[in-house]
Amino acid sequence: MAGREEPPEGASGNAAGGGEDEYRSVVFDESFVRAARLQEFSAQERMGEHARAVRSLPARHLRTGSRAVLTLVLLIALAFAGAVYMGFRHPYQAPVGRRAEALRSTVIPLAPRGAVPGGTAAGLFATSPAAEFPIGAAGINFPMVRRTDNFSDSQVITALTTVKDYLVASSLDPDVLTGGAIRPVELLLDPAQMSQFDRSMSRPDDDGQHAATGWLVRFDPAKVALADPGIRVQGTLAYSEEGSDTLEVVSDHTFTYALRPAVSGPQQAGSVSLFTVRRELHFRFDREDLRLHRLELRTSYVQAGPQACPADTTGALRPLLAGQRAVSRGPAGTDPYATGRPTVALCGTLQLSARPSRAPVSSPGLPAPTAGSLRSHP
């Protein structure tokens, strides 16, 4: 390797002899050295083929890539359009949920045998069968809750809670009782029953489907008012499955109200009277109802008195107040030869009784009669 380090003038005097013999044939004279062209390569030129880690594609490659992107976008758009089209035209449509049935209701006025007793609210409650009833929502209690074959205990509790909310809104809310509000009741109904409910509130009819008093308890505020906000309540709740996807709840409660004339004066002291409403309601829940805290009211059977018999109770209940008597005539008859929608007049007899010596015993699903005995007349 010593030869590469020798100057052009020749090897130094102390160099090894072997190196001199090896490079003796290579002679660089002064003219050759001067004529030599020295060139310094740049860093990029020294790298040679490794100069570019990323090479720019030719214009032809760019055009090919743009076409590929456009093709991909077009394919995605076609796939999306096809999915939308199949969603509308697919022969296997998603199953439609069960539609709520129309409410079927019956409202029976109970006529007293004589004059309606009057007095103070406290005195009347103390001597009535409702003396031991809880006040307000405290009288609406749950049964022992157990899961069913297809519904968990939490779902059963949800159904019972929704029914209790409905009973409170439709039977105990002062604004609803006086006809000033319907929204608290409406919010708990299945949307499929909204139109029937609205028709019942705006244009009540005794056709068995559009009586406002089938949905809620309502009094005419121009005639009566609550004499005591403490409404006495007693009854039962029961539940059962109605198929694998439906839960049914039955409520049967007696509500006792202390009423007075809407316009009272000094001459009307002791004019408070009691009015009793027994409501047997059948509710149905599907899983969507349970999730959204709503219900379907299937049937409503109402007995209310004292009232005149017969009385138009489709829009509001019409209590007989203290000292008043029922009209002494039987229920209206039905002409079998008449055309048009047939009507059937129903009426019951309200027999007032004293406070029982012991608490009434109720069978599952049905509380014992409280304010009187019912005798229905077709």
Side-chain angles (χ1 to χ4, degrees), residues 40-59:
E40 181 71 20
F41 290 99
S42 65
Q44 182 176 357
E45 290 172 333
R46 288 197 302 270
M47 290 176 66
E49 293 296 330
H50 301 286
R52 296 178 182 176
V54 179
R55 299 181 182 180
S56 301
L57 293 175

Side-chain angles (χ1 to χ4, degrees), residues 41-117:
F41 290 99
S42 65
Q44 182 176 357
E45 290 172 333
R46 288 197 302 270
M47 290 176 66
E49 293 296 330
H50 301 286
R52 296 178 182 176
V54 179
R55 299 181 182 180
S56 301
L57 293 175
R60 180 176 60 84
H61 289 171
L62 289 176
R63 290 194 298 270
T64 303
S66 300
R67 290 174 185 173
V69 171
L70 290 175
T71 302
L72 179 60
V73 171
L74 180 60
L75 289 175
I76 293 175
L78 290 175
F80 180 78
V84 172
Y85 176 81
M86 292 300 294
F88 286 106
R89 304 292 297 178
H90 199 282
Y92 303 103
Q93 298 294 336
V96 179
R98 179 189 58 79
R99 184 174 178 81
E101 299 177 2
L103 167 66
R104 301 185 304 277
S105 62
T106 302
V107 182
I108 300 177
L110 304 180
R113 291 184 178 274
V116 177

